[in-house]
Structures are given as structure tokens and as C-alpha cells.
Amino acid sequence: MQYSVHQLVLFPVAAADTPAVVSLEPCLQTLGLLGERLGAGHFAVGEAFLSLVCFLRVFAGY
């Protein structure tokens, strides 16, 4: 299966804050961020993804 070059990567600020992936996946699915599983560690976006995530572009000079 081919994946898009565009991706959202979630990571903790500090390594000590790393949550257990097993407990994180159900939480993100309940929120609607994750959709169906596409492979190991890869998911389609969930139904609520676009209403919960904001994409911004920062322009230099402001």
C-alpha cells in the first residue's frame, strides 16, 4: 500500500512523557482524529479530523 507524503506526526515534548500507544489509539479514535487502520501505525483520518486540526502557514516578515 502506498502512503501519502503528507502526514501528521504526533510526538511528546519529553521522552519521559511518551504515552503507551495502546492507550493512545482508542482515545484518538474516540475523538474522531483516527479513521480505519491502514497498516502498522498508519491510519486514515477520522471523521472529525478537519474540524479538530488547524493547518497554519507561518510567513516570515510579520
Side-chain angles (χ1 to χ4, degrees):
M1 175 177 288
Q2 182 176 351
Y3 299 107
S4 171
V5 294
H6 306 287
Q7 53 187 307
L8 173 66
V9 179
L10 303 173
F11 62 94
V13 174
D17 296 335
T18 304
V21 174
V22 175
S23 64
L24 187 59
E25 287 178 19
C27 178
L28 295 176
Q29 287 172 327
T30 300
L31 291 171
L33 286 170
L34 295 183
E36 67 178 285
R37 180 182 290 275
L38 301 175
H42 294 90
F43 297 85
V45 296
E47 293 179 11
F49 182 83
L50 291 177
S51 65
L52 296 172
V53 176
C54 179
F55 296 91
L56 300 174
R57 182 171 179 178
V58 178
F59 294 97
Y62 285 104

